[in-house]
mmCIF file of all heavy atoms in Angstrom:
data_model
loop_
_atom_site.group_PDB
_atom_site.id
_atom_site.type_symbol
_atom_site.label_atom_id
_atom_site.label_comp_id
_atom_site.label_asym_id
_atom_site.label_seq_id
_atom_site.Cartn_x
_atom_site.Cartn_y
_atom_site.Cartn_z
ATOM 1 N N THR A 1 5.186 -91.447 58.098
ATOM 2 C CA THR A 1 4.242 -90.714 58.943
ATOM 3 C C THR A 1 2.907 -90.694 58.204
ATOM 4 O O THR A 1 2.820 -90.527 57.061
ATOM 5 C CB THR A 1 4.742 -89.305 59.173
ATOM 6 O OG1 THR A 1 6.047 -89.332 59.756
ATOM 7 C CG2 THR A 1 3.787 -88.567 60.157
ATOM 8 N N ASN A 2 1.823 -90.847 59.032
ATOM 9 C CA ASN A 2 0.482 -90.872 58.477
ATOM 10 C C ASN A 2 0.162 -89.607 57.752
ATOM 11 O O ASN A 2 -0.728 -89.643 56.835
ATOM 12 C CB ASN A 2 -0.571 -91.178 59.588
ATOM 13 C CG ASN A 2 -0.470 -92.568 60.117
ATOM 14 O OD1 ASN A 2 -0.013 -93.453 59.435
ATOM 15 N ND2 ASN A 2 -0.925 -92.718 61.388
ATOM 16 N N ALA A 3 0.706 -88.539 58.114
ATOM 17 C CA ALA A 3 0.450 -87.205 57.482
ATOM 18 C C ALA A 3 1.066 -87.085 56.121
ATOM 19 O O ALA A 3 0.683 -86.157 55.339
ATOM 20 C CB ALA A 3 0.925 -86.032 58.382
ATOM 21 N N VAL A 4 1.989 -87.916 55.755
ATOM 22 C CA VAL A 4 2.694 -87.895 54.496
ATOM 23 C C VAL A 4 1.990 -88.781 53.461
ATOM 24 O O VAL A 4 1.702 -89.917 53.746
ATOM 25 C CB VAL A 4 4.169 -88.264 54.637
ATOM 26 C CG1 VAL A 4 4.909 -88.323 53.296
ATOM 27 C CG2 VAL A 4 4.923 -87.394 55.619
ATOM 28 N N GLY A 5 1.817 -88.255 52.313
ATOM 29 C CA GLY A 5 1.165 -89.115 51.214
ATOM 30 C C GLY A 5 2.046 -90.162 50.699
ATOM 31 O O GLY A 5 3.254 -90.260 51.084
ATOM 32 N N ASP A 6 1.518 -91.022 49.850
ATOM 33 C CA ASP A 6 2.262 -92.164 49.320
ATOM 34 C C ASP A 6 3.359 -91.736 48.412
ATOM 35 O O ASP A 6 3.351 -90.637 47.911
ATOM 36 C CB ASP A 6 1.265 -93.047 48.511
ATOM 37 C CG ASP A 6 0.177 -93.693 49.426
ATOM 38 O OD1 ASP A 6 0.486 -93.875 50.635
ATOM 39 O OD2 ASP A 6 -0.919 -94.054 48.879
ATOM 40 N N LEU A 7 4.252 -92.649 48.209
ATOM 41 C CA LEU A 7 5.411 -92.373 47.269
ATOM 42 C C LEU A 7 4.908 -92.117 45.896
ATOM 43 O O LEU A 7 4.008 -92.784 45.385
ATOM 44 C CB LEU A 7 6.332 -93.593 47.268
ATOM 45 C CG LEU A 7 7.464 -93.525 46.277
ATOM 46 C CD1 LEU A 7 8.497 -92.549 46.686
ATOM 47 C CD2 LEU A 7 8.109 -94.928 46.120
ATOM 48 N N GLN A 8 5.389 -91.063 45.269
ATOM 49 C CA GLN A 8 5.022 -90.728 43.933
ATOM 50 C C GLN A 8 6.174 -90.929 42.973
ATOM 51 O O GLN A 8 7.208 -90.311 42.967
ATOM 52 C CB GLN A 8 4.579 -89.254 43.862
ATOM 53 C CG GLN A 8 3.497 -88.848 44.806
ATOM 54 C CD GLN A 8 2.153 -89.533 44.435
ATOM 55 O OE1 GLN A 8 1.899 -89.772 43.263
ATOM 56 N NE2 GLN A 8 1.397 -89.797 45.383
ATOM 57 N N LEU A 9 6.038 -91.952 42.097
ATOM 58 C CA LEU A 9 7.065 -92.321 41.110
ATOM 59 C C LEU A 9 6.418 -92.466 39.758
ATOM 60 O O LEU A 9 6.546 -93.472 39.102
ATOM 61 C CB LEU A 9 7.815 -93.579 41.459
ATOM 62 C CG LEU A 9 8.788 -93.536 42.621
ATOM 63 C CD1 LEU A 9 9.477 -94.924 42.755
ATOM 64 C CD2 LEU A 9 9.815 -92.475 42.426
ATOM 65 N N SER A 10 5.735 -91.432 39.348
ATOM 66 C CA SER A 10 5.008 -91.433 38.056
ATOM 67 C C SER A 10 5.184 -90.087 37.370
ATOM 68 O O SER A 10 5.347 -89.091 38.046
ATOM 69 C CB SER A 10 3.548 -91.840 38.124
ATOM 70 O OG SER A 10 2.825 -90.746 38.746
ATOM 71 N N SER A 11 5.207 -90.125 36.035
ATOM 72 C CA SER A 11 5.384 -88.874 35.328
ATOM 73 C C SER A 11 4.155 -87.864 35.585
ATOM 74 O O SER A 11 4.296 -86.691 35.539
ATOM 75 C CB SER A 11 5.517 -89.124 33.821
ATOM 76 O OG SER A 11 4.375 -89.841 33.325
ATOM 77 N N ALA A 12 2.956 -88.525 35.811
ATOM 78 C CA ALA A 12 1.791 -87.654 36.010
ATOM 79 C C ALA A 12 1.854 -86.920 37.376
ATOM 80 O O ALA A 12 1.495 -85.759 37.510
ATOM 81 C CB ALA A 12 0.580 -88.528 36.059
ATOM 82 N N ALA A 13 2.432 -87.542 38.428
ATOM 83 C CA ALA A 13 2.548 -87.048 39.712
ATOM 84 C C ALA A 13 3.766 -86.109 39.938
ATOM 85 O O ALA A 13 3.643 -85.110 40.548
ATOM 86 C CB ALA A 13 2.520 -88.152 40.735
ATOM 87 N N VAL A 14 4.846 -86.502 39.317
ATOM 88 C CA VAL A 14 6.099 -85.844 39.547
ATOM 89 C C VAL A 14 6.486 -84.838 38.406
ATOM 90 O O VAL A 14 6.863 -83.682 38.575
ATOM 91 C CB VAL A 14 7.323 -86.817 39.708
ATOM 92 C CG1 VAL A 14 8.636 -86.086 39.849
ATOM 93 C CG2 VAL A 14 7.080 -87.668 40.929
ATOM 94 N N GLY A 15 6.256 -85.250 37.177
ATOM 95 C CA GLY A 15 6.736 -84.521 35.995
ATOM 96 C C GLY A 15 5.797 -83.370 35.702
ATOM 97 O O GLY A 15 5.160 -83.300 34.639
ATOM 98 N N GLN A 16 5.735 -82.350 36.542
ATOM 99 C CA GLN A 16 4.934 -81.195 36.351
ATOM 100 C C GLN A 16 5.816 -79.982 36.267
ATOM 101 O O GLN A 16 6.937 -79.946 36.657
ATOM 102 C CB GLN A 16 3.850 -81.062 37.461
ATOM 103 C CG GLN A 16 3.016 -82.323 37.605
ATOM 104 C CD GLN A 16 2.189 -82.233 38.930
ATOM 105 O OE1 GLN A 16 2.212 -81.207 39.602
ATOM 106 N NE2 GLN A 16 1.498 -83.262 39.201
ATOM 107 N N ASP A 17 5.249 -78.839 35.679
ATOM 108 C CA ASP A 17 5.960 -77.622 35.619
ATOM 109 C C ASP A 17 6.299 -77.131 37.026
ATOM 110 O O ASP A 17 5.311 -76.842 37.779
ATOM 111 C CB ASP A 17 5.142 -76.618 34.852
ATOM 112 C CG ASP A 17 5.893 -75.287 34.722
ATOM 113 O OD1 ASP A 17 7.085 -75.254 35.108
ATOM 114 O OD2 ASP A 17 5.264 -74.276 34.167
ATOM 115 N N SER A 18 7.546 -76.957 37.331
ATOM 116 C CA SER A 18 7.902 -76.580 38.696
ATOM 117 C C SER A 18 7.805 -75.078 38.908
ATOM 118 O O SER A 18 7.863 -74.576 40.037
ATOM 119 C CB SER A 18 9.349 -76.971 39.009
ATOM 120 O OG SER A 18 10.268 -76.288 38.209
ATOM 121 N N GLN A 19 7.604 -74.305 37.811
ATOM 122 C CA GLN A 19 7.513 -72.873 37.829
ATOM 123 C C GLN A 19 8.776 -72.218 38.566
ATOM 124 O O GLN A 19 8.648 -71.321 39.285
ATOM 125 C CB GLN A 19 6.239 -72.421 38.599
ATOM 126 C CG GLN A 19 4.924 -72.885 37.865
ATOM 127 C CD GLN A 19 3.743 -72.357 38.572
ATOM 128 O OE1 GLN A 19 3.753 -71.359 39.240
ATOM 129 N NE2 GLN A 19 2.611 -73.024 38.398
ATOM 130 N N SER A 20 9.876 -72.902 38.408
ATOM 131 C CA SER A 20 11.078 -72.493 39.022
ATOM 132 C C SER A 20 12.007 -71.823 38.015
ATOM 133 O O SER A 20 12.063 -72.112 36.859
ATOM 134 C CB SER A 20 11.848 -73.640 39.668
ATOM 135 O OG SER A 20 13.125 -73.308 40.179
ATOM 136 N N SER A 21 12.690 -70.721 38.483
ATOM 137 C CA SER A 21 13.672 -70.060 37.656
ATOM 138 C C SER A 21 15.032 -70.700 37.684
ATOM 139 O O SER A 21 15.906 -70.244 37.033
ATOM 140 C CB SER A 21 13.796 -68.555 38.131
ATOM 141 O OG SER A 21 14.261 -68.530 39.453
ATOM 142 N N VAL A 22 15.176 -71.773 38.487
ATOM 143 C CA VAL A 22 16.432 -72.433 38.535
ATOM 144 C C VAL A 22 16.701 -73.190 37.259
ATOM 145 O O VAL A 22 15.894 -73.889 36.706
ATOM 146 C CB VAL A 22 16.424 -73.490 39.717
ATOM 147 C CG1 VAL A 22 17.744 -74.312 39.785
ATOM 148 C CG2 VAL A 22 16.156 -72.770 41.064
ATOM 149 N N ALA A 23 17.926 -72.944 36.723
ATOM 150 C CA ALA A 23 18.351 -73.716 35.499
ATOM 151 C C ALA A 23 18.472 -75.145 35.941
ATOM 152 O O ALA A 23 19.197 -75.513 36.839
ATOM 153 C CB ALA A 23 19.630 -73.191 35.016
ATOM 154 N N ALA A 24 17.747 -76.048 35.219
ATOM 155 C CA ALA A 24 17.623 -77.393 35.693
ATOM 156 C C ALA A 24 18.844 -78.229 35.180
ATOM 157 O O ALA A 24 19.849 -78.269 35.919
ATOM 158 C CB ALA A 24 16.370 -78.031 35.199
ATOM 159 N N ILE A 25 18.788 -78.871 34.088
ATOM 160 C CA ILE A 25 19.833 -79.761 33.716
ATOM 161 C C ILE A 25 20.670 -79.196 32.642
ATOM 162 O O ILE A 25 20.229 -78.759 31.526
ATOM 163 C CB ILE A 25 19.171 -81.073 33.179
ATOM 164 C CG1 ILE A 25 18.318 -81.769 34.290
ATOM 165 C CG2 ILE A 25 20.203 -82.064 32.756
ATOM 166 C CD1 ILE A 25 17.587 -82.971 33.879
ATOM 167 N N PRO A 26 22.042 -79.237 32.783
ATOM 168 C CA PRO A 26 22.971 -78.758 31.721
ATOM 169 C C PRO A 26 22.872 -79.616 30.482
ATOM 170 O O PRO A 26 22.417 -80.735 30.557
ATOM 171 C CB PRO A 26 24.321 -78.824 32.374
ATOM 172 C CG PRO A 26 24.154 -79.816 33.445
ATOM 173 C CD PRO A 26 22.768 -79.737 33.970
ATOM 174 N N GLU A 27 23.345 -79.054 29.417
ATOM 175 C CA GLU A 27 23.303 -79.794 28.039
ATOM 176 C C GLU A 27 24.143 -81.078 28.080
ATOM 177 O O GLU A 27 23.690 -82.074 27.471
ATOM 178 C CB GLU A 27 23.736 -78.890 26.974
ATOM 179 C CG GLU A 27 22.837 -77.750 26.608
ATOM 180 C CD GLU A 27 21.466 -78.241 26.134
ATOM 181 O OE1 GLU A 27 21.366 -79.295 25.416
ATOM 182 O OE2 GLU A 27 20.451 -77.566 26.520
ATOM 183 N N ASP A 28 25.180 -81.096 28.838
ATOM 184 C CA ASP A 28 26.012 -82.210 28.940
ATOM 185 C C ASP A 28 26.766 -82.364 30.254
ATOM 186 O O ASP A 28 26.640 -81.445 31.027
ATOM 187 C CB ASP A 28 27.048 -82.374 27.739
ATOM 188 C CG ASP A 28 27.869 -81.079 27.611
ATOM 189 O OD1 ASP A 28 28.080 -80.415 28.650
ATOM 190 O OD2 ASP A 28 28.317 -80.741 26.477
ATOM 191 N N GLY A 29 27.523 -83.465 30.413
ATOM 192 C CA GLY A 29 28.193 -83.619 31.700
ATOM 193 C C GLY A 29 27.313 -84.199 32.814
ATOM 194 O O GLY A 29 26.180 -84.557 32.600
ATOM 195 N N PRO A 30 27.886 -84.438 33.934
ATOM 196 C CA PRO A 30 27.077 -84.989 35.022
ATOM 197 C C PRO A 30 25.946 -84.182 35.522
ATOM 198 O O PRO A 30 25.988 -82.937 35.379
ATOM 199 C CB PRO A 30 28.151 -85.225 36.159
ATOM 200 C CG PRO A 30 29.187 -84.242 35.824
ATOM 201 C CD PRO A 30 29.198 -84.089 34.335
ATOM 202 N N ILE A 31 24.943 -84.853 36.048
ATOM 203 C CA ILE A 31 23.765 -84.140 36.576
ATOM 204 C C ILE A 31 23.892 -84.177 38.110
ATOM 205 O O ILE A 31 23.695 -85.265 38.739
ATOM 206 C CB ILE A 31 22.445 -84.746 36.100
ATOM 207 C CG1 ILE A 31 22.460 -84.760 34.580
ATOM 208 C CG2 ILE A 31 21.238 -84.064 36.663
ATOM 209 C CD1 ILE A 31 21.265 -85.610 34.012
ATOM 210 N N ASP A 32 24.094 -83.028 38.749
ATOM 211 C CA ASP A 32 24.177 -82.961 40.217
ATOM 212 C C ASP A 32 22.859 -82.384 40.772
ATOM 213 O O ASP A 32 22.517 -81.221 40.447
ATOM 214 C CB ASP A 32 25.371 -82.094 40.629
ATOM 215 C CG ASP A 32 26.693 -82.662 40.270
ATOM 216 O OD1 ASP A 32 26.816 -83.911 40.353
ATOM 217 O OD2 ASP A 32 27.601 -81.995 39.831
ATOM 218 N N ILE A 33 22.184 -83.197 41.462
ATOM 219 C CA ILE A 33 20.893 -82.847 42.040
ATOM 220 C C ILE A 33 21.073 -82.394 43.513
ATOM 221 O O ILE A 33 21.525 -83.187 44.306
ATOM 222 C CB ILE A 33 19.868 -83.948 41.997
ATOM 223 C CG1 ILE A 33 19.752 -84.483 40.520
ATOM 224 C CG2 ILE A 33 18.500 -83.431 42.406
ATOM 225 C CD1 ILE A 33 18.771 -85.595 40.336
ATOM 226 N N GLU A 34 20.805 -81.143 43.819
ATOM 227 C CA GLU A 34 20.897 -80.595 45.160
ATOM 228 C C GLU A 34 19.503 -80.089 45.636
ATOM 229 O O GLU A 34 18.583 -80.033 44.816
ATOM 230 C CB GLU A 34 21.897 -79.418 45.155
ATOM 231 C CG GLU A 34 23.324 -79.913 44.662
ATOM 232 C CD GLU A 34 24.258 -78.689 44.516
ATOM 233 O OE1 GLU A 34 23.746 -77.584 44.531
ATOM 234 O OE2 GLU A 34 25.475 -78.921 44.408
ATOM 235 N N SER A 35 19.471 -79.632 46.881
ATOM 236 C CA SER A 35 18.163 -79.221 47.396
ATOM 237 C C SER A 35 17.546 -78.103 46.561
ATOM 238 O O SER A 35 16.389 -78.068 46.318
ATOM 239 C CB SER A 35 18.339 -78.712 48.858
ATOM 240 O OG SER A 35 18.649 -79.906 49.707
ATOM 241 N N GLY A 36 18.351 -77.160 46.175
ATOM 242 C CA GLY A 36 17.847 -75.984 45.428
ATOM 243 C C GLY A 36 17.278 -76.288 44.005
ATOM 244 O O GLY A 36 16.439 -75.539 43.469
ATOM 245 N N ASN A 37 17.811 -77.393 43.408
ATOM 246 C CA ASN A 37 17.347 -77.709 42.024
ATOM 247 C C ASN A 37 16.657 -79.039 41.997
ATOM 248 O O ASN A 37 16.370 -79.541 40.879
ATOM 249 C CB ASN A 37 18.513 -77.645 41.048
ATOM 250 C CG ASN A 37 19.622 -78.706 41.333
ATOM 251 O OD1 ASN A 37 19.415 -79.600 42.091
ATOM 252 N ND2 ASN A 37 20.829 -78.470 40.767
#
């Protein structure tokens, strides 16, 4: 859609502080990515 910006696949664009209280990645084991995290 024209209203949506270009795909962002860079650390500068994506890798920012999310200011989220959600515990992100566990120390070990599989990484399950869901909508909330």
